[in-house]
Amino acid sequence: MDRDQTLKSLRERILTFATSRISKDLAEDLAQDVLVVLHEKYARVTELTELVPLAFQILRFKMLDLHRKSLRRGEYNQASID
């Protein structure tokens, strides 16, 4: 399996996991962010077994970062004005 096929397979797994936790649009964005990081920083890693734990660790940190940004913006504490 070449690197492109590996990343495509990994993208599906990342997207499935992220979609189970957050909205589909945000999950798509996070999946792309994770793949960009993997592509730029870990170009020598080609085995799927090596990339999966690394990808999910990156995804976890990106999801936490997204959550912290939402808290700072007050998105979770907003009350309806109606």
Side-chain angles (χ1 to χ4, degrees):
M1 186 184 287
D2 69 346
R3 186 165 180 80
D4 290 335
Q5 290 175 332
T6 302
L7 290 177
K8 184 177 179 181
S9 171
L10 188 57
R11 181 190 177 281
E12 293 172 12
R13 292 180 70 177
I14 292 168
L15 189 58
T16 301
F17 179 79
T19 304
S20 72
R21 305 282 193 272
I22 56 177
S23 71
K24 180 137 174 88
D25 293 335
L26 289 174
E28 286 278 349
D29 291 341
L30 288 180
Q32 291 300 320
D33 289 346
V34 169
L35 291 174
V36 166
V37 170
L38 287 175
H39 183 71
E40 290 176 350
K41 299 202 181 247
Y42 301 98
R44 286 182 252 139
V45 180
T46 57
E47 292 296 319
L48 187 60
T49 56
E50 297 173 11
L51 283 176
V52 171
L54 184 60
F56 279 94
Q57 184 176 15
I58 294 168
L59 178 62
R60 188 182 87 226
F61 287 130
K62 295 229 174 251
M63 288 175 75
L64 285 171
D65 189 43
L66 180 69
H67 180 71
R68 277 190 234 114
K69 285 179 184 176
S70 295
L71 283 174
R72 275 197 307 264
R73 287 187 220 127
E75 293 174 3
Y76 290 114
N77 300 327
Q78 291 179 352
S80 175
I81 56 174
D82 288 335

